[in-house]
Amino acid sequence: MTTQTGTGKYEQLLARCRSLDPIVTAVAHPCEATALTGAIDAAAKGLIAPILVGPTTKIQEVSRAAGIDLSAARIVDAPHSHASAAAAVALVRKGEAELLMKGSLHTDELLGAVVARETGLRTGRRLSHAFIMDVPTYHKVLVVTDAAINIAPSLEEKADICQNAIDLAVSLGVTRPKVAILAAVETVNSKMPATIDAAALCKMAERGQITAGVLDGPLAFDNAISKDAAKTKGITSEVAGDPDILLAPDLEAGNILAKQLTFLANADSAGLVLGARVPIILTSRADSVRSRIASCAVAVLAAHARRQALQATSA
């Protein structure tokens, strides 16, 4: 499902990447045609320099059957999907790759290698997933989080999810990302824990526990997206009608919201896992080529922002 071509929000992200060097990316187990095509297409666009990690014979068989040219790609042999995930993570740990990309293995298998205590890519931050969505009826890129990893996040976990999304939005060029913290209503109600979490997150931002963003909540979805709806309810808010990020109360709400936008509003969605040492590109066999390329573009921008931050720290 696509929006306008040439002038769409994703095309603007790709335009920002044209002046950037490709990022070396460890692609875990690209042993199916769509997974392999996604990596090679992103390489052809100048976004990534893929290292294909998996059974060499299988990868070559898939490439021949699909007519994919692997002449420019490095292959690291690994006997099976579990070993592919571990080897791809090891490439990142050794500094040979700055991005990690899911191939045709299960997400849980890849993330299992990422969160392994001794050999993974854990940080002090909670892992979270973000959909970066190009919604035809909305005026800018919209981040929806978390819709894939944290089932029923605690307040502290929501703070990490929020900070991950803010950091991502900043890397995409947003100066002060606006975060709408979603609930069913816009008033705090002790019988609705999501509203209490929303109010607490706003106070945490005031006290510097969440930084670089503007938070408001609880906000019902209509109040978050529509200035007119917020005005009708008497809500005065810098965020209402103009959020960059929608923070869902739990995974079910976030997942339903993202899929509604995709299938009812013809939105494209790119997907990243945040909070690890490097961004992790999550693609699905159901993703369009445009969405897969967009996922890589967003990850490249995030990786370059990370590189700049590390250089600034070491300077």
Side-chain angles (χ1 to χ4, degrees), residues 88-298:
V89 167
L91 287 170
V92 174
R93 283 181 63 92
K94 289 187 288 186
E96 294 184 39
E98 291 184 67
L99 286 174
L100 183 63
M101 184 174 183
K102 176 179 175 285
S104 53
L105 74 176
H106 289 295
T107 298
D108 287 350
E109 197 167 12
L110 179 61
L111 294 185
V114 169
V115 301
R117 194 165 297 278
E118 300 298 329
T119 58
L121 302 174
R122 294 163 69 109
T123 67
R125 193 83 64 77
R126 179 83 176 182
L127 288 188
S128 62
H129 181 272
F131 279 117
I132 303 91
M133 309 201 76
D134 182 350
V135 185
T137 53
Y138 195 63
H139 57 282
K140 57 183 173 179
V141 168
L142 190 62
V143 176
V144 177
T145 191
D146 181 336
I149 293 180
N150 294 284
I151 296 173
S154 66
L155 173 62
E156 290 78 13
E157 288 165 351
K158 286 181 180 179
D160 277 355
I161 293 167
C162 184
Q163 191 67 67
N164 285 343
I166 290 170
D167 292 348
L168 173 64
V170 169
S171 75
L172 300 182
V174 183
T175 304
R176 289 173 69 243
K178 299 175 183 177
V179 184
I181 308 164
L182 298 180
V185 296
E186 66 281 352
T187 53
V188 177
N189 185 329
S190 63
K191 295 179 181 178
M192 303 177 74
T195 68
I196 297 174
D197 284 353
L201 289 167
C202 292
K203 181 56 68 175
M204 291 170 78
E206 287 181 18
R207 298 291 165 85
Q209 292 173 267
I210 298 170
T211 61
V214 182
L215 278 60
D216 198 5
L219 289 171
F221 182 77
D222 55 345
N223 304 323
I225 291 296
S226 168
K227 285 186 182 295
D228 290 339
K231 185 177 179 180
T232 299
K233 290 288 185 72
I235 298 170
T236 301
S237 170
E238 185 180 352
V239 173
D242 193 39
D244 300 286
I245 298 163
L246 298 178
L247 182 66
D250 56 33
L251 183 145
E252 288 177 321
N255 191 275
I256 291 168
L257 171 57
K259 289 178 178 176
Q260 281 179 329
L261 292 173
T262 298
F263 289 97
L264 291 179
N266 289 341
D268 280 322
S269 62
L272 286 186
V273 172
L274 309 167
R277 290 193 195 178
V278 299
I280 302 167
I281 304 164
L282 281 191
T283 55
S284 165
R285 283 178 291 179
D287 285 345
S288 68
V289 172
R290 186 166 181 265
S291 289
R292 282 186 271 130
I293 294 297
S295 295
C296 292
V298 171

Side-chain angles (χ1 to χ4, degrees), residues 59-74:
I59 292 171
Q60 292 172 338
E61 287 174 357
V62 170
S63 72
R64 284 193 294 268
I68 301 169
D69 181 9
L70 298 184
S71 59
R74 173 186 168 191

Side-chain angles (χ1 to χ4, degrees), residues 38-77:
I40 299 304
D41 283 353
K45 293 276 187 183
L47 296 170
I48 66 172
I51 303 174
L52 309 177
V53 185
T56 302
T57 301
K58 178 64 175 175
I59 292 171
Q60 292 172 338
E61 287 174 357
V62 170
S63 72
R64 284 193 294 268
I68 301 169
D69 181 9
L70 298 184
S71 59
R74 173 186 168 191
I75 300 177
V76 172
D77 188 60

